[in-house]
Amino acid sequence: MESNTAVLKNEAKEILLKNRRDGFTVPSEKLYPFQWNWDSGFAALGFKNFNLEYAIEEIRSMFSGQWQNGMIAHINFHSENETTYFPNFEFWDTQVNSGASQKPKTGGITQPPVFGFVLEEMAKTHGNDPVFKEFVSEIFSKITHFHRFLYTIRDPKNEGLAFIFHPWESGRDNSPLWDYAYDGFEVKPGDIPAYTRKDNTQADPSHRPLQKDYDRFVYLIELGKKHQYDGIGIFEESPFLVQDTLFNALLIKSNDGLINVGKQYGLDVTEIEAWQQKAKPAFENKLWCEEIGNYVCYDLRHNKQIKQWEIGGYTSLIAGIPSPDKAQLLLETLVEFKEKDLFVCPSFHTDNEKFDPKRYWRGPVWPQMNWLIYHGLLRYGFNEMADVTKNDIIALVEYYGFYEYFNPFKSVQSTESKGYGGHSFTWTAAVILDLIENA
Ligand code: 2M8
């Protein structure tokens, strides 16, 4: 009889292969039928465990949509015939920017930059493979160009922190954090074109964002469009303008990945090292919040920290940002969650009135977040909690299946038999496989 681990591994591989299309992988067949940016990085992380070629093709396919300004959009619309997702390429209308990729067509915003550290993860197992070496020489300058876009167009004051102007760029689209960042900003009738959502026909609507949030999402797309998606007018005008913890921590982690891989192959990393020298102290000084005991996002529009405990701050660990004392503080909250019989790690604090264990990004546990936190905890030598973080996500998947995200309360297992969001989910499969293979 196969062990549970072997069964999970096989299932994970099957899902990755099933979600793979022509050189790229969709996060979930119907809910997200295109290639997403950071999902694609996690897909590559999964593939590298059993098929280097697929991992390489995945990233190559993502970068086939790179804009002339360096941006990697949050979505590559490889197929123009899919109808189950809103907004599609027509709505984005990226032709407003003369340097936007038109083949594939893409969205007009970006997502957390993961490819630098994914490349480093690939180098750990494939560093001596000539095929991988060749790939590094092809992709290194493209990833660096993406980071250059973030440190220029998204950092006009040259602070060392990139801004995002749309919640979708954070990867944590519906986090309660953004309720604070909007600070009362509401879309009025006539402000936006008519549109029809598709997400709430593909997933349980009670788990998805509210209509007023979608109106804001659409408003911000229109704003981006007005400024060709990279104009300074976005910085000057957007009602949503945030220096995000997760986005910048993963950028720093990816800088490190590029520096390490670059040095290994004798590539020039001086520009990346200069970014890094500015970015790490900027993150530490601007985003640490003593009151919360965690790193928090900075609301550039209203010039203040968003003082809420939220999971993004925990990605500082994998980027090696906190001092040992601060890391200890981060650890303590995870211990409290564990003692309260919760699965680690809820995406928003369970004591907060805005916490919701089912609605996406407002409380549930996310597999790819556990992967990031697990590696962060290991980096600080918190091996016991690292194991809890890893084992919790494996246990959730074993119990419920390969869903997009999960209820953090252990108590609901007696009454619930499913996870939430999409099923047979790519990043869930990818990180489960990677966690098991590299235990
Ligand atoms: C979710 O976001 C998309 C928009 O990008 C959506 O709700 O339509 C988020 O969880 C995001 O982080 C993720 O990359 C995407 C695909 O899995 O889904």
Side-chain angles (χ1 to χ4, degrees):
M1 237 196 56
E2 274 189 301
S3 70
N4 285 351
T5 312
V7 172
L8 274 184
K9 261 171 45 175
N10 283 340
E11 213 180 323
K13 284 184 196 168
E14 274 168 26
I15 290 171
L16 287 175
L17 293 171
K18 193 170 138 277
N19 287 346
R20 191 165 183 272
R21 302 289 179 264
D22 187 13
F24 68 94
T25 314
V26 299
S28 165
E29 200 179 352
K30 290 233 166 61
L31 186 58
Y32 307 124
F34 303 104
Q35 186 182 33
W36 257 259
N37 181 330
W38 73 321
D39 300 67
S40 159
F42 284 105
L45 193 79
F47 280 127
K48 69 117 166 80
N49 291 293
F50 66 104
N51 193 322
L52 174 63
E53 194 191 317
Y54 285 5
I56 288 177
E57 279 180 12
E58 180 71 42
I59 299 177
R60 187 177 280 145
S61 174
M62 194 70 228
F63 278 77
S64 70
Q66 185 162 33
W67 289 27
Q68 276 172 26
N69 65 13
M71 186 173 84
I72 300 297
H74 81 311
I75 302 176
N76 280 347
F77 295 101
H78 292 292
S79 156
E80 296 182 13
N81 302 323
E82 282 290 347
T83 53
T84 58
Y85 188 79
F86 169 84
N88 75 356
F89 65 92
E90 278 163 336
F91 198 88
W92 285 101
D93 191 18
T94 57
Q95 292 187 30
V96 294
N97 185 307
S98 60
S101 162
Q102 295 304 329
K103 202 177 165 26
K105 293 206 164 58
T106 74
I109 56 171
T110 187
Q111 260 196 332
V114 298
F115 294 97
F117 76 77
V118 169
L119 195 69
E120 186 180 18
E121 286 297 317
M122 288 165 74
K124 285 182 188 161
T125 28
H126 302 286
N128 293 323
D129 187 326
V131 174
F132 179 71
K133 281 190 194 168
E134 185 62 32
F135 179 60
V136 171
S137 62
E138 165 194 334
I139 204 73
F140 185 85
S141 60
K142 295 182 180 175
I143 303 178
T144 308
H145 192 33
F146 177 31
H147 291 198
R148 195 176 296 122
F149 161 80
L150 298 173
Y151 283 123
T152 53
I153 290 172
R154 294 308 185 85
D155 185 15
K157 298 215 163 144
N158 200 12
E159 288 184 64
L161 293 171
F163 75 74
I164 57 171
F165 77 94
H166 197 297
W168 286 343
E169 296 195 307
S170 72
R172 311 184 312 295
D173 313 4
N174 199 32
S175 168
L177 288 179
W178 316 138
D179 303 357
Y180 298 99
Y182 289 127
D183 196 18
F185 162 70
E186 303 285 349
V187 177
K188 293 186 288 301
D191 280 352
I192 52 171
Y195 69 94
T196 308
R197 288 174 69 168
K198 302 273 174 80
D199 62 304
N200 48 10
T201 60
Q202 301 298 332
D204 183 338
S206 70
H207 297 170
R208 295 290 302 175
L210 303 175
Q211 193 55 40
K212 69 172 181 184
D213 292 312
Y214 255 77
D215 284 353
R216 289 157 165 165
F217 295 158
V218 168
Y219 181 95
L220 293 169
I221 295 176
E222 294 302 310
L223 179 97
K225 212 181 282 178
K226 177 175 157 197
H227 297 289
Q228 299 77 46
Y229 294 114
D230 66 3
I232 188 71
I234 293 173
F235 180 72
E236 287 163 353
E237 216 186 285
S238 178
F240 178 95
L241 203 71
V242 171
Q243 287 165 325
D244 177 35
T245 46
L246 177 142
F247 195 99
N248 281 285
L250 296 192
L251 179 54
I252 289 171
K253 173 71 180 160
S254 276
N255 283 336
D256 267 342
L258 285 179
I259 291 169
N260 295 336
V261 172
K263 283 187 175 162
Q264 189 178 341
Y265 296 107
L267 301 167
D268 184 5
V269 297
T270 44
E271 184 184 18
I272 309 165
E273 282 177 333
W275 293 330
Q276 203 68 326
Q277 270 182 16
K278 198 170 250 180
K280 281 190 175 174
F283 191 105
E284 175 60 41
N285 297 333
K286 199 166 183 187
L287 306 187
W288 175 254
C289 177
E290 198 63 38
E291 209 179 300
I292 300 293
N294 193 359
Y295 294 90
V296 298
C297 296
Y298 193 85
D299 176 350
L300 277 174
R301 182 49 66 233
H302 306 98
N303 279 320
K304 58 181 183 196
Q305 288 186 330
I306 304 174
K307 293 188 176 177
Q308 300 295 330
W309 186 100
E310 190 266 344
I311 197 167
Y314 277 68
T315 54
S316 61
L317 293 166
I318 195 171
I321 294 165
S323 63
D325 284 355
K326 285 182 179 153
Q328 183 65 35
L329 280 178
L330 296 186
L331 176 71
E332 279 162 23
T333 309
L334 296 186
V335 174
E336 281 167 26
F337 286 144
K338 180 176 172 288
E339 285 169 356
K340 284 189 193 157
D341 228 17
L342 288 153
F343 286 108
V344 172
C345 178
S347 40
F348 206 65
H349 204 292
T350 48
D351 291 345
N352 192 303
E353 57 177 16
K354 287 180 183 271
F355 167 81
D356 183 333
K358 297 187 179 182
R359 205 180 276 273
Y360 106 141
W361 287 113
R362 299 181 82 89
V365 176
W366 290 77
Q368 86 288 12
M369 295 307 298
N370 273 40
W371 186 95
L372 293 166
I373 295 172
Y374 166 72
H375 284 280
L377 292 167
L378 282 185
R379 185 165 180 168
Y380 282 81
F382 298 141
N383 296 355
E384 211 176 304
M385 188 46 76
D387 278 346
V388 172
T389 309
K390 178 178 76 178
N391 294 336
D392 275 6
I393 195 62
I394 293 177
L396 279 164
V397 172
E398 232 174 346
Y399 189 82
Y400 292 116
F402 285 80
Y403 282 88
E404 184 178 0
Y405 58 93
F406 302 93
N407 195 313
F409 290 113
K410 292 190 176 166
S411 54
V412 303
Q413 285 193 320
S414 52
T415 49
E416 294 197 12
S417 58
K418 288 181 175 172
Y420 304 140
H423 187 247
S424 298
F425 212 85
T426 290
W427 65 25
T428 310
V431 303
I432 290 296
L433 182 61
D434 196 66
L435 289 171
I436 294 175
E437 287 288 11
N438 301 289

